[in-house]
Amino acid sequence: MKILINGSKGRMGQAVAAAAKLAGLEISAECDIGETFTEADVAACDCAVDFSFHEASPELAEACARAGKPLVIGTTGHTAAERARIEAAAEKIPIVWAGNYSVGVNVLNWLVGKAARLLDPSFEIEIVEMHHRHKKDAPSGTAEKLLAIVESARGCDKSVEKHGRAGIVGERCREEIGVHALRGGSVVGDHAVIFAGEGERVELIHRAESRAIFANGAIRAAQWVCGGKAPGIYGMEAVLGLE
């Protein structure tokens, strides 16, 4: 199996390359800023893996759609217009699109959904994430996913989100969901979802200690999506059979 890596010089691109080699896969092309992929690069691969910048993902998705090649997207921070272009490409090819490819994080997602449905609204929800100082977007794609999960489980929309607090903010509304993004040092990625009730608290936490866990998950997704999947957008839940 041959893969194209877009964003090959970044931390995740390098981790994906290492994971691919360990899995016995061939890297047919490595692309980064100043080394834009070509139509021939896309045609020569079995699957493209994107860990670049949000601006680059739609162009790669469209090239994959023209070539009939599946795609794995790990890049986050896409604008609405960029998402629309990727979704249009997914009408022709299968795309695995996730904010986090860690197996553990995706189990966390599943557990958070279960907890949000089982614990009544008296359990107030706070989401806290921390990443290294170089991360450019906030909250993280994983935190955004966790937000979507709890909002769906509680039957609410994004109007309940409270991103950080400062000053005299008054008492906490029971319905609000607190979201906090911390940055510093070399933290690979920590995520915690806290369900705070009267007299008890449930905390679901995942801490990433190596980027290898994300890279291994991305390679697993690439192998899965190459198995004759129908066009559409898939999450890691589908890859892991959690749906």
Side-chain angles (χ1 to χ4, degrees):
M1 178 177 164
K2 300 177 181 179
I3 65 168
L4 176 155
I5 301 176
N6 196 36
S8 60
K9 292 182 179 178
R11 294 179 181 84
M12 274 306 304
Q14 293 176 49
V16 168
K21 291 173 183 175
L22 285 174
L25 307 186
E26 179 183 343
I27 301 171
S28 60
E30 296 183 74
C31 315
D32 211 300
I33 296 174
E35 303 170 347
T36 306
F37 59 84
T38 66
E39 297 286 335
D41 290 331
V42 176
C45 75
D46 295 308
C47 180
V49 179
D50 177 49
F51 278 93
S52 57
F53 295 97
H54 64 88
E55 301 96 333
S57 301
E59 184 179 350
L60 179 58
E62 289 162 354
C64 286
R66 289 191 294 271
K69 303 293 183 176
L71 172 63
V72 172
I73 299 177
T75 308
T76 60
H78 299 96
T79 66
E82 289 163 352
R83 293 186 67 87
R85 290 172 63 188
I86 294 168
E87 288 164 358
E91 295 176 4
K92 299 179 180 178
I93 57 169
I95 298 176
V96 180
W97 193 359
N100 194 308
Y101 282 88
S102 157
V103 172
V105 160
N106 283 280
V107 172
L108 172 68
N109 291 342
W110 185 81
L111 291 171
V112 165
K114 290 289 186 184
R117 286 186 287 272
L118 290 170
L119 299 172
D120 65 51
S122 69
F123 283 83
E124 298 161 340
I125 304 173
E126 298 281 311
I127 297 173
V128 182
E129 59 98 341
M130 183 170 186
H131 286 80
H132 54 87
R133 61 184 294 273
H134 301 289
K135 187 168 180 60
K136 296 178 175 62
D137 58 316
S140 67
T142 299
E144 291 279 15
K145 176 71 172 180
L146 290 167
L147 263 172
I149 289 169
V150 297
E151 287 167 358
S152 175
R154 287 284 174 90
C156 54
D157 59 28
K158 295 181 77 64
S159 65
V160 302
E161 296 175 12
K162 186 75 171 181
H163 291 264
R165 297 184 179 91
I168 308 300
V169 297
E171 291 188 5
R172 186 192 199 282
C173 296
R174 176 144 284 173
E175 297 78 15
E176 75 184 38
I177 300 172
V179 190
H180 312 279
L182 313 181
R183 296 289 178 267
S186 58
V187 177
V188 174
D190 292 353
H191 294 87
V193 181
I194 303 161
F195 296 86
E198 293 296 330
E200 61 180 331
R201 185 168 71 248
V202 177
E203 298 184 11
L204 297 171
I205 300 171
H206 179 272
R207 291 190 174 93
E209 298 177 356
S210 168
R211 287 186 179 80
I213 63 172
F214 310 122
N216 291 337
I219 292 301
R220 182 167 174 174
Q223 293 170 317
W224 179 86
V225 81
C226 282
K229 300 299 181 292
I233 293 176
Y234 300 89
M236 275 297 282
E237 298 88 352
V239 175
L240 300 175
L242 294 174
E243 293 184 328

